[in-house]
Amino acid sequence: MFPAYKHEAFTDFTVEENRKAMEEALKQVKATFGKHYNLLVGSEQITTEEKIVSINPSNKEEVIGSVSKANQEIAEKAIETAYQAFQTWQYTDPVERANILVRAAAIVRRRKYEFSATLVAEAGKPWKEADADIAEGIDFMEYYARQMIELKQGKNVQSRPGEHNRYFYIPTGVAVTIPPWNFAFAIMVGTTVAPLVTGNTVLLKPASTTPVVAAKFVEVLQKAGIPEGVINFIPGSGAEVGDYLVDHPKTSLITFTGSRDVGTRLYSRAAKVQQNQNHLKRVIVEMGGKDTVIVDKDADIDIAVDAIVTSAFGFSGQKCSAGSRAVIHDDVYDEVLDKVVKRTNELTVGEPTTKDIYMGPVIDQAAYDKITDYIEIGKQEGRLVAGGEGDDSKGYFIKPTIIADVDVEARIMQEEIFGPVVAFAKAKDFDHALEIANNSEYGLTGAVITNNRAHINKATMEFHVGNLYFNRNCTGAIVGYQPFGGFKMSGTDSKAGGPDYLALHMQAKTVSESF
Ligand code: NAP
């Protein structure tokens, strides 16, 4: 019933018309700075005394907007509302649910520049990254709408003479969606619409640094015709309201993307059966990464340089898939390092007000402090060869930083920094490179740059990551093309944007009738 899925094209900002449209959108968004956004519980817009204030990480004096802040009392009301709405939403025709996603995608597509400009301001994303984030959000809606149509009849099972067997999927109940700030649109959208289209009702608690773009998306869902109580918007502190939602006996599905510490905490809390709880909770937790780009001796060096720079410094290294480790074969180590340093020193860093800024700020003061601390640790653990400084006088800017000759057990080789810092380590041969890459508690993404077919085959089997790429960067998975999710402490490997994802939000029911 829908045309075949195709991912949303990226905007070419070298085209004059597109550049002007983005500049215009930035002005329009700036004109709305300071606006307040309410909570949404059922059809009720709630304004609270206490607010979450969203600031521009490029310019900390600038307030992007504020949102009302839920407390436990409001969270309780939202859970009840979502629980009531579930009683009808669960039986709504899946085609109707899918249509809401397609309409929402169309609205966002029409307002794409405005949404991108919002991310530039609220998350400090350079234009290209903001555009890709919005495109991915659109993709999630289009892709999951089609997936739901495919799944709505269930799957074939056999029937013996005298019986009729059916196997189909039903939703779980009230879902809690807790996204991170780094894909403030895409992940927030994907983890909200997947439970919705599968017939669950949703409590959306956005990240506290990027609540405005989430508030705008909730308005889009309302325009697209989502019934009352099916989506509830309850920003609040993760620690205060998050635990309450996760623990509540009436919530049934927790979908979280964020850090390892919070993810593992939610995972164990959700496992505990509370008083008056009559079900086990489904939990999707997608967490951090310590991702490696391996460069073999038989590699195309230009591809290797490009892959390392893009993976390490795209969106200032604030991607779970960021390539924060470069493991290079001894024979080509010096050449690759020299070329990467040269390219890195040419990157532009600053407020992303034009298309030419490659790297914007990091998200907030806590991130700035954490990353600059790691740079100091890195200076002890290896040789600083690029960057190494920051400036937080106006916004949270950190130069792209390379630490060379790092030991494989060093902290900057093992811990997620989540900033523009890459550690270089030498490998004596390809097996050693794989061993270094697998020496991590995480297992999210990895890239191998090689022209050696035997090494491609070996890495395919032995490089233990959820998303493995050859001869390209290790970031930038596309919905429906490279389903995304990691192994080990990177999470539950739910493979967002893939054919198995929606089933995680439902339970399968077998119905057998005898004649
Ligand atoms: P975070 O600090 O773990 O926060 C993620 C979300 O959890 C936020 O909405 C946060 O709310 C909430 N939260 C915090 N404490 C909570 C609690 N006790 N109960 C319930 N919710 C709570 O992570 P982040 O800094 O936003 O994101 C960066 C991390 O996400 C990195 O580790 C990155 O690798 C990971 N990530 C993983 C993927 C993936 O697909 N594997 C994708 C993107 C990012 P507040 O904002 O209110 O604290």
Side-chain angles (χ1 to χ4, degrees), residues 44 47 65 69-70 106 125 144 219 227 295 325 339-340 345 374 417 428 490:
E44 196 186 345
T47 313
K69 187 175 179 195
K125 288 212 162 187
Y144 292 149
E219 288 171 4
V295 182
R325 319 201 286 179
K339 287 188 170 164
V340 170
N345 287 333
Y374 269 114
I417 300 173
K428 55 181 189 290
S490 291

PDB file of all heavy atoms in Angstrom, residues 44 47 65 69-70 106 125 144 219 227 295 325 339-340 345 374 417 428 490:
ATOM      1  N   GLU A  44      -4.313  17.089  27.944  1.00  0.00           N
ATOM      2  CA  GLU A  44      -4.035  18.221  28.835  1.00  0.00           C
ATOM      3  C   GLU A  44      -2.598  18.742  28.680  1.00  0.00           C
ATOM      4  O   GLU A  44      -1.634  17.977  28.787  1.00  0.00           O
ATOM      5  CB  GLU A  44      -4.258  17.765  30.287  1.00  0.00           C
ATOM      6  CG  GLU A  44      -4.377  18.918  31.258  1.00  0.00           C
ATOM      7  CD  GLU A  44      -4.462  18.428  32.721  1.00  0.00           C
ATOM      8  OE1 GLU A  44      -4.715  17.220  32.946  1.00  0.00           O
ATOM      9  OE2 GLU A  44      -4.245  19.255  33.619  1.00  0.00           O
ATOM     10  N   THR A  47       1.501  23.172  32.539  1.00  0.00           N
ATOM     11  CA  THR A  47       2.632  24.064  32.802  1.00  0.00           C
ATOM     12  C   THR A  47       3.022  23.897  34.259  1.00  0.00           C
ATOM     13  O   THR A  47       2.149  23.944  35.129  1.00  0.00           O
ATOM     14  CB  THR A  47       2.241  25.543  32.569  1.00  0.00           C
ATOM     15  OG1 THR A  47       1.565  25.625  31.324  1.00  0.00           O
ATOM     16  CG2 THR A  47       3.449  26.463  32.557  1.00  0.00           C
ATOM     17  N   GLY A  65      15.005  27.451  24.675  1.00  0.00           N
ATOM     18  CA  GLY A  65      13.615  27.368  25.118  1.00  0.00           C
ATOM     19  C   GLY A  65      13.582  26.699  26.474  1.00  0.00           C
ATOM     20  O   GLY A  65      14.622  26.301  27.009  1.00  0.00           O
ATOM     21  N   LYS A  69       8.483  20.711  33.697  1.00  0.00           N
ATOM     22  CA  LYS A  69       9.224  19.562  34.214  1.00  0.00           C
ATOM     23  C   LYS A  69       8.306  18.667  35.047  1.00  0.00           C
ATOM     24  O   LYS A  69       7.708  19.127  36.026  1.00  0.00           O
ATOM     25  CB  LYS A  69      10.373  20.104  35.085  1.00  0.00           C
ATOM     26  CG  LYS A  69      11.326  19.059  35.547  1.00  0.00           C
ATOM     27  CD  LYS A  69      12.487  19.708  36.293  1.00  0.00           C
ATOM     28  CE  LYS A  69      13.440  18.658  36.785  1.00  0.00           C
ATOM     29  NZ  LYS A  69      14.360  19.154  37.772  1.00  0.00           N
ATOM     30  N   ALA A  70       8.218  17.417  34.637  1.00  0.00           N
ATOM     31  CA  ALA A  70       7.327  16.488  35.342  1.00  0.00           C
ATOM     32  C   ALA A  70       7.936  16.058  36.671  1.00  0.00           C
ATOM     33  O   ALA A  70       9.156  15.932  36.784  1.00  0.00           O
ATOM     34  CB  ALA A  70       7.066  15.255  34.483  1.00  0.00           C
ATOM     35  N   ALA A 106       5.780  13.114   6.676  1.00  0.00           N
ATOM     36  CA  ALA A 106       5.535  14.129   5.642  1.00  0.00           C
ATOM     37  C   ALA A 106       5.612  15.540   6.244  1.00  0.00           C
ATOM     38  O   ALA A 106       6.178  16.458   5.633  1.00  0.00           O
ATOM     39  CB  ALA A 106       4.173  13.898   4.995  1.00  0.00           C
ATOM     40  N   LYS A 125      24.821  20.897  16.520  1.00  0.00           N
ATOM     41  CA  LYS A 125      25.197  20.052  15.369  1.00  0.00           C
ATOM     42  C   LYS A 125      25.591  20.898  14.167  1.00  0.00           C
ATOM     43  O   LYS A 125      24.879  21.846  13.815  1.00  0.00           O
ATOM     44  CB  LYS A 125      24.014  19.158  14.958  1.00  0.00           C
ATOM     45  CG  LYS A 125      23.752  18.046  15.936  1.00  0.00           C
ATOM     46  CD  LYS A 125      23.207  16.772  15.290  1.00  0.00           C
ATOM     47  CE  LYS A 125      23.404  15.626  16.274  1.00  0.00           C
ATOM     48  NZ  LYS A 125      23.095  14.320  15.792  1.00  0.00           N
ATOM     49  N   TYR A 144       9.362   1.953   9.807  1.00  0.00           N
ATOM     50  CA  TYR A 144       8.557   1.195  10.773  1.00  0.00           C
ATOM     51  C   TYR A 144       7.086   1.121  10.333  1.00  0.00           C
ATOM     52  O   TYR A 144       6.401   0.135  10.639  1.00  0.00           O
ATOM     53  CB  TYR A 144       8.681   1.797  12.176  1.00  0.00           C
ATOM     54  CG  TYR A 144      10.062   1.645  12.814  1.00  0.00           C
ATOM     55  CD1 TYR A 144      10.551   2.596  13.708  1.00  0.00           C
ATOM     56  CD2 TYR A 144      10.869   0.544  12.519  1.00  0.00           C
ATOM     57  CE1 TYR A 144      11.805   2.467  14.295  1.00  0.00           C
ATOM     58  CE2 TYR A 144      12.123   0.404  13.104  1.00  0.00           C
ATOM     59  CZ  TYR A 144      12.582   1.372  13.985  1.00  0.00           C
ATOM     60  OH  TYR A 144      13.832   1.237  14.560  1.00  0.00           O
ATOM     61  N   GLU A 219       4.276  17.764  18.955  1.00  0.00           N
ATOM     62  CA  GLU A 219       3.265  18.571  18.248  1.00  0.00           C
ATOM     63  C   GLU A 219       2.993  17.982  16.853  1.00  0.00           C
ATOM     64  O   GLU A 219       1.861  17.966  16.386  1.00  0.00           O
ATOM     65  CB  GLU A 219       3.748  20.022  18.102  1.00  0.00           C
ATOM     66  CG  GLU A 219       3.723  20.785  19.419  1.00  0.00           C
ATOM     67  CD  GLU A 219       4.412  22.152  19.346  1.00  0.00           C
ATOM     68  OE1 GLU A 219       4.861  22.567  18.243  1.00  0.00           O
ATOM     69  OE2 GLU A 219       4.522  22.800  20.395  1.00  0.00           O
ATOM     70  N   PRO A 227      -4.192   9.766  18.609  1.00  0.00           N
ATOM     71  CA  PRO A 227      -5.286   9.991  19.571  1.00  0.00           C
ATOM     72  C   PRO A 227      -4.769  10.408  20.956  1.00  0.00           C
ATOM     73  O   PRO A 227      -3.620  10.126  21.317  1.00  0.00           O
ATOM     74  CB  PRO A 227      -5.977   8.625  19.648  1.00  0.00           C
ATOM     75  CG  PRO A 227      -5.522   7.864  18.455  1.00  0.00           C
ATOM     76  CD  PRO A 227      -4.143   8.368  18.141  1.00  0.00           C
ATOM     77  N   VAL A 295      43.499  -0.372  10.439  1.00  0.00           N
ATOM     78  CA  VAL A 295      44.108  -0.160   9.119  1.00  0.00           C
ATOM     79  C   VAL A 295      45.168  -1.239   8.897  1.00  0.00           C
ATOM     80  O   VAL A 295      46.145  -1.348   9.646  1.00  0.00           O
ATOM     81  CB  VAL A 295      44.739   1.244   9.005  1.00  0.00           C
ATOM     82  CG1 VAL A 295      45.323   1.439   7.603  1.00  0.00           C
ATOM     83  CG2 VAL A 295      43.716   2.327   9.311  1.00  0.00           C
ATOM     84  N   ARG A 325      39.255   4.737  18.555  1.00  0.00           N
ATOM     85  CA  ARG A 325      40.523   4.002  18.561  1.00  0.00           C
ATOM     86  C   ARG A 325      40.938   3.719  17.114  1.00  0.00           C
ATOM     87  O   ARG A 325      40.130   3.224  16.319  1.00  0.00           O
ATOM     88  CB  ARG A 325      40.392   2.649  19.272  1.00  0.00           C
ATOM     89  CG  ARG A 325      39.556   2.685  20.525  1.00  0.00           C
ATOM     90  CD  ARG A 325      39.849   1.540  21.435  1.00  0.00           C
ATOM     91  NE  ARG A 325      39.314   0.274  20.984  1.00  0.00           N
ATOM     92  CZ  ARG A 325      39.495  -0.858  21.663  1.00  0.00           C
ATOM     93  NH1 ARG A 325      40.185  -0.867  22.786  1.00  0.00           N
ATOM     94  NH2 ARG A 325      38.992  -1.980  21.227  1.00  0.00           N
ATOM     95  N   LYS A 339      49.275  11.636   7.973  1.00  0.00           N
ATOM     96  CA  LYS A 339      48.204  12.146   7.110  1.00  0.00           C
ATOM     97  C   LYS A 339      46.945  12.496   7.913  1.00  0.00           C
ATOM     98  O   LYS A 339      46.262  13.461   7.609  1.00  0.00           O
ATOM     99  CB  LYS A 339      47.880  11.132   6.016  1.00  0.00           C
ATOM    100  CG  LYS A 339      48.986  11.085   4.959  1.00  0.00           C
ATOM    101  CD  LYS A 339      48.609  10.245   3.774  1.00  0.00           C
ATOM    102  CE  LYS A 339      49.650  10.460   2.666  1.00  0.00           C
ATOM    103  NZ  LYS A 339      49.608   9.440   1.631  1.00  0.00           N
ATOM    104  N   VAL A 340      46.653  11.695   8.940  1.00  0.00           N
ATOM    105  CA  VAL A 340      45.472  11.996   9.766  1.00  0.00           C
ATOM    106  C   VAL A 340      45.707  13.304  10.541  1.00  0.00           C
ATOM    107  O   VAL A 340      44.814  14.156  10.641  1.00  0.00           O
ATOM    108  CB  VAL A 340      45.144  10.820  10.725  1.00  0.00           C
ATOM    109  CG1 VAL A 340      44.084  11.234  11.750  1.00  0.00           C
ATOM    110  CG2 VAL A 340      44.659   9.609   9.945  1.00  0.00           C
ATOM    111  N   ASN A 345      44.242  18.879  11.479  1.00  0.00           N
ATOM    112  CA  ASN A 345      44.589  20.283  11.717  1.00  0.00           C
ATOM    113  C   ASN A 345      43.878  21.234  10.757  1.00  0.00           C
ATOM    114  O   ASN A 345      43.816  22.434  10.996  1.00  0.00           O
ATOM    115  CB  ASN A 345      46.106  20.477  11.643  1.00  0.00           C
ATOM    116  CG  ASN A 345      46.786  19.879  12.871  1.00  0.00           C
ATOM    117  OD1 ASN A 345      46.183  19.791  13.949  1.00  0.00           O
ATOM    118  ND2 ASN A 345      48.030  19.437  12.724  1.00  0.00           N
ATOM    119  N   TYR A 374      39.938  13.737  30.158  1.00  0.00           N
ATOM    120  CA  TYR A 374      40.481  12.589  29.405  1.00  0.00           C
ATOM    121  C   TYR A 374      41.676  13.006  28.545  1.00  0.00           C
ATOM    122  O   TYR A 374      42.615  12.226  28.357  1.00  0.00           O
ATOM    123  CB  TYR A 374      39.400  11.937  28.535  1.00  0.00           C
ATOM    124  CG  TYR A 374      38.668  10.820  29.238  1.00  0.00           C
ATOM    125  CD1 TYR A 374      37.318  10.932  29.545  1.00  0.00           C
ATOM    126  CD2 TYR A 374      39.320   9.644  29.583  1.00  0.00           C
ATOM    127  CE1 TYR A 374      36.644   9.896  30.190  1.00  0.00           C
ATOM    128  CE2 TYR A 374      38.663   8.606  30.224  1.00  0.00           C
ATOM    129  CZ  TYR A 374      37.321   8.733  30.533  1.00  0.00           C
ATOM    130  OH  TYR A 374      36.665   7.714  31.168  1.00  0.00           O
ATOM    131  N   ILE A 417      34.946   8.084  25.851  1.00  0.00           N
ATOM    132  CA  ILE A 417      35.203   9.497  26.144  1.00  0.00           C
ATOM    133  C   ILE A 417      34.045  10.360  25.665  1.00  0.00           C
ATOM    134  O   ILE A 417      33.651  11.325  26.276  1.00  0.00           O
ATOM    135  CB  ILE A 417      36.539   9.944  25.493  1.00  0.00           C
ATOM    136  CG1 ILE A 417      37.687   9.097  26.049  1.00  0.00           C
ATOM    137  CG2 ILE A 417      36.787  11.439  25.724  1.00  0.00           C
ATOM    138  CD1 ILE A 417      39.036   9.309  25.363  1.00  0.00           C
ATOM    139  N   LYS A 428      51.216  -5.375  15.360  1.00  0.00           N
ATOM    140  CA  LYS A 428      52.342  -5.966  14.643  1.00  0.00           C
ATOM    141  C   LYS A 428      51.893  -6.754  13.409  1.00  0.00           C
ATOM    142  O   LYS A 428      52.649  -6.895  12.458  1.00  0.00           O
ATOM    143  CB  LYS A 428      53.249  -6.799  15.557  1.00  0.00           C
ATOM    144  CG  LYS A 428      52.598  -7.908  16.344  1.00  0.00           C
ATOM    145  CD  LYS A 428      53.672  -8.595  17.206  1.00  0.00           C
ATOM    146  CE  LYS A 428      53.161  -9.850  17.872  1.00  0.00           C
ATOM    147  NZ  LYS A 428      52.180  -9.631  18.938  1.00  0.00           N
ATOM    148  N   SER A 490      27.547  -2.913  24.998  1.00  0.00           N
ATOM    149  CA  SER A 490      26.912  -1.897  24.149  1.00  0.00           C
ATOM    150  C   SER A 490      25.405  -2.070  24.105  1.00  0.00           C
ATOM    151  O   SER A 490      24.712  -1.225  23.543  1.00  0.00           O
ATOM    152  CB  SER A 490      27.491  -1.939  22.730  1.00  0.00           C
ATOM    153  OG  SER A 490      28.831  -1.501  22.744  1.00  0.00           O
TER     154      SER A 490
END
